[in-house]
Amino acid sequence: MRIPGRSAALLASAAALAALCGCTVQPAGADGKQGLPVHREVPGGPGPGTVRGGPNSPGPGTARTAPAAPPTAAPTATPAATASAPAVPAPRVLWSRGDDGPAVRELQARLRQVAWLAVGPNGSYDGATERAVKGFQGKRGLPRTGATDTVTWQRLVAMTRPPGREELYPGSGRPAAAPDPRCLTGRVLCISKTSRTLRWMIDGRTVSTMAVRFGAQYTPTREGVFTVYWKSRHHVSTLYHSPMPYAMFFSGGQAVHYSYDFAARGYAGGSHGCVNVRDEAAIARLFAQVRIGDKVVVSW
């Protein structure tokens, strides 16, 4: 037997209790079950709160997924730095200080042709050669390394000619020619244009021999038999204003004397008619031995 008033009172009490507990009884769903309240903290919200369950709410104990953040555009790739041009490799070094051999001798001869090397070729890449190469490089805007690389060598070859034997081996060396018969008696400076040598002879005996060079095309050295008529240890030419140390005059202004130019350039140059000696020590000894009146024979 139902008691209507009592049922109403029970329902009212349940409603009051629900209000005090802070939740609301959900209406029954399609399956006849009432939705249970779902408690969830909303990220970024004011604090813990109650999200009411509904017909489309997930089942008990299932947390809602927060709305996904709007997709952001992919970061724009930073353009790569412009690739620099590949470095040009340094030219290959052919010869440098400390090297020696025929190739170095040719280098030295070519440097002498363009007046960068003062001394004669010796086949050794020494300090003088290194300085000459540096000067050549600097004059042409090349790195002043002092080492002969492929670029330096190509520039030098383009400016010079293949050196002959006399340039490669200046004063080296022809053997002295057989003495002219006029040299076989007395004290004689026996000079041969054929072998480019001077023999100092006394009574047919050769005391010493040295390399010499002669006058140029338009200032040739005279040939014949002469005598030494004047000696001048520190002579300077009054005509050309050039030094003529250890000068021994035998024909007009022509003399046998030491030549700085011959020592520096070898047979690449020539005199104004004098007989040049390149070995200073040798001519110093000769100068001390020769007397005024000694014979001079110049021949082919």
Side-chain angles (χ1 to χ4, degrees):
M1 177 179 183
R2 292 183 179 179
I3 303 176
R6 187 176 179 180
S7 299
L10 290 172
L11 289 173
S13 297
L17 180 60
L20 290 174
C21 292
C23 61
T24 303
V25 177
Q26 300 298 316
D31 57 358
K33 296 180 179 180
Q34 290 183 334
L36 297 178
V38 177
H39 296 277
R40 182 176 181 275
E41 292 185 6
V42 180
T50 300
V51 179
R52 301 180 189 276
N56 298 323
S57 298
T62 303
R64 290 186 180 180
T65 302
T72 57
T76 304
T78 304
T82 304
S84 58
V88 178
R92 181 169 60 92
V93 173
L94 301 176
W95 313 288
S96 59
R97 189 163 185 171
D99 291 336
D100 54 32
V104 174
R105 186 178 290 273
E106 180 180 350
L107 165 69
Q108 293 170 327
R110 288 181 182 269
L111 286 169
R112 282 165 58 84
Q113 289 180 16
V114 290
W116 276 107
L117 188 64
V119 297
N122 58 16
S124 178
Y125 207 115
D126 51 17
T129 304
E130 186 177 61
R131 289 190 295 272
V133 171
K134 280 185 179 181
F136 178 84
Q137 290 170 328
K139 185 71 173 180
R140 282 144 193 89
L142 302 175
R144 289 170 52 89
T145 63
T148 303
D149 53 44
T150 52
V151 174
T152 301
W153 177 244
Q154 289 166 3
R155 293 289 293 274
L156 180 60
V157 168
M159 296 176 61
T160 55
R161 65 183 184 281
R165 179 173 177 79
E166 292 301 334
E167 291 177 279
L168 293 170
Y169 301 93
S172 62
R174 300 178 179 179
D180 185 282
R182 295 169 291 182
C183 300
L184 298 179
T185 58
R187 299 163 58 89
V188 187
L189 292 172
C190 189
I191 301 166
S192 169
K193 285 187 172 182
T194 301
S195 62
R196 293 192 288 197
T197 54
L198 181 155
R199 288 176 183 262
W200 168 230
M201 302 185 68
I202 299 177
D203 296 331
R205 179 178 60 89
T206 299
V207 178
S208 60
T209 305
M210 57 201 72
V212 295
R213 73 175 185 182
F214 306 98
Q217 179 179 358
Y218 299 106
T219 54
T221 302
R222 303 181 189 98
E223 299 156 23
V225 179
F226 312 93
T227 58
V228 175
Y229 68 88
W230 181 32
K231 294 171 61 179
S232 179
R233 166 65 182 81
H234 301 287
H235 194 77
V236 177
S237 170
T238 56
L239 183 59
Y240 301 107
H241 308 289
S242 56
M244 300 170 56
Y246 304 104
M248 294 170 279
F249 289 89
F250 61 87
S251 175
Q254 294 188 354
V256 175
H257 68 85
Y258 172 70
S259 169
Y260 295 103
D261 184 72
F262 186 22
R265 299 174 58 210
Y267 292 105
S271 75
H272 293 98
C274 290
V275 177
N276 292 163
V277 177
R278 70 181 308 169
D279 186 334
E280 187 172 9
I283 196 171
R285 291 190 295 269
L286 179 65
F287 185 86
Q289 297 173 44
V290 171
R291 305 170 186 167
I292 301 296
D294 286 346
K295 187 163 51 174
V296 178
V297 176
V298 181
S299 65
W300 281 102

